[in-house]
Amino acid sequence: MKKLCIIFRQAPHGTAHGREGLDLSLLSASFEQEVSLIFTDEGLLTLLKNQDPESIGCKDYIATLGALSLYDIDTVLVCQESMQELGLLEANFRIAVSMATATEISTHLASVDEVIVF
Amino acid sequence: MSKFIIQVNSPAYGSSSSYSAYRFAKAAIDNGHMIEKVFFYQDGVLNTNSLNSPASDEFDLKQAWVDLHDNHGVALINCVSAALRRGVLSESEAKENQQLHWNMQAPFIMGGLGELVTGIETADRLICF
């Protein structure tokens, strides 16, 4: 078993990065890897409630975020600085997350085996 | 000696990072390391399209990957779901989807994300491009 950290840093619907990152996250967890997620930069927008991706012809893959705990993905870190830049609050998010400073994110990255950025 | 797995996320043309991935793989092998496999994900699957036709005086990255396989036995694996969405099909997917044509180059093969994850488990290090 390896510790994988998957970083989401792009907005959810303009590209397929977020969707393919989430696919890899769930698949890795189902292969018994220890998976953690970090949301930073515009990747934070993935977490917002009340999105309607189908209205722009996209599959609603973000509904799958609700399944993270079923896959035992319990560590979901959100970059505090990006939160402030985007003017978001924890109450805006559809799932429970942990706020993390840049230092805490660095410490976490140093504790995992592999980092994959989407 | 280290064992690497390489993930390629960018197309063969239009982005330099898949070329960097190839150069990394080649340099690693030339320096006595092992490339467990190259896994093509996201737009990286476009590296495996046999219809890629660079001009005659341009670097043929698809062919370079094929040579890497032929000369060093490196497995070249496409994420099948990423490939299908981007119009890269092997003969068997073409038949399953009632398509008359297919375009994935041999010896690239289709696989699942599971092959990436099992590769990550057995390799010393994953390198993403």
Side-chain angles (χ1 to χ4, degrees):
Chain A
M1 186 193 76
K2 280 202 171 176
K3 294 180 184 170
L4 306 185
C5 178
I6 298 178
I7 302 186
F8 294 79
R9 55 181 314 178
Q10 305 207 31
H13 307 300
T15 68
H17 290 278
R19 180 176 176 183
E20 294 186 311
L22 195 57
D23 280 350
L24 178 57
S25 307
L26 299 178
L27 191 286
S28 308
S30 72
F31 272 66
E32 311 294 325
Q33 310 299 306
E34 188 177 323
V35 178
S36 55
L37 310 184
I38 294 177
F39 290 86
T40 184
D41 299 329
E42 289 191 353
L44 264 69
L45 301 172
T46 311
L47 298 166
L48 292 179
K49 288 178 184 169
N50 303 323
Q51 298 190 50
D52 181 18
E54 282 158 359
S55 65
I56 51 163
C58 293
K59 183 177 168 174
D60 186 10
Y61 75 91
I62 44 176
T64 319
L65 285 171
L68 291 177
S69 56
L70 296 176
Y71 284 80
D72 295 325
I73 300 178
D74 299 320
T75 305
V76 180
L77 303 180
V78 165
C79 171
Q80 235 163 28
E81 259 173 56
S82 303
M83 281 275 278
Q84 283 161 1
E85 276 171 25
L86 293 167
L88 299 176
L89 303 169
E90 224 175 313
N92 300 133
F93 295 151
R94 61 165 71 200
I95 55 166
V97 296
S98 308
M99 293 299 133
T101 62
T103 314
E104 285 164 341
I105 289 174
S106 301
T107 308
H108 179 70
L109 292 178
S111 75
V112 299
D113 296 308
E114 307 290 357
V115 177
I116 307 169
V117 184
F118 284 90
Chain B
M1 193 211 51
S2 294
K3 204 160 39 154
F4 294 107
I5 175 163
I6 294 178
Q7 184 182 347
V8 178
N9 293 324
S10 300
Y13 180 75
S15 157
S16 62
S17 58
S18 51
Y19 177 68
S20 302
Y22 166 73
R23 290 294 299 267
F24 178 91
K26 188 83 176 49
I29 291 169
D30 291 347
N31 284 281
H33 300 291
M34 189 187 156
I35 304 296
E36 165 113 359
K37 63 182 88 163
V38 181
F39 190 84
F40 297 89
Y41 193 43
Q42 300 190 276
D43 288 349
V45 299
L46 298 172
N47 283 266
T48 76
N49 182 346
S50 63
L51 300 174
N52 282 340
S53 308
S56 57
D57 60 344
E58 290 173 13
F59 188 77
D60 188 343
L61 184 54
K62 176 199 65 195
Q63 189 56 44
W65 288 121
V66 172
D67 293 343
L68 198 71
H69 170 89
D70 291 347
N71 298 332
H72 304 287
V74 177
L76 305 172
I77 300 168
N78 252 343
C79 171
V80 62
S81 52
L84 288 177
R85 290 193 173 99
R86 290 168 174 85
V88 177
L89 282 77
S90 69
E91 186 173 355
S92 67
E93 279 91 36
K95 286 181 176 154
E96 273 170 36
N97 291 280
Q98 288 90 47
Q99 299 281 355
L100 296 174
H101 306 284
W102 53 92
N103 58 346
M104 192 181 69
Q105 173 87 34
F108 293 96
I109 54 170
M110 291 292 190
L113 275 175
E115 301 213 23
L116 172 63
V117 178
T118 52
I120 290 172
E121 259 205 306
T122 52
D124 295 312
R125 184 58 79 192
L126 165 73
I127 319 277
C128 300
F129 289 89

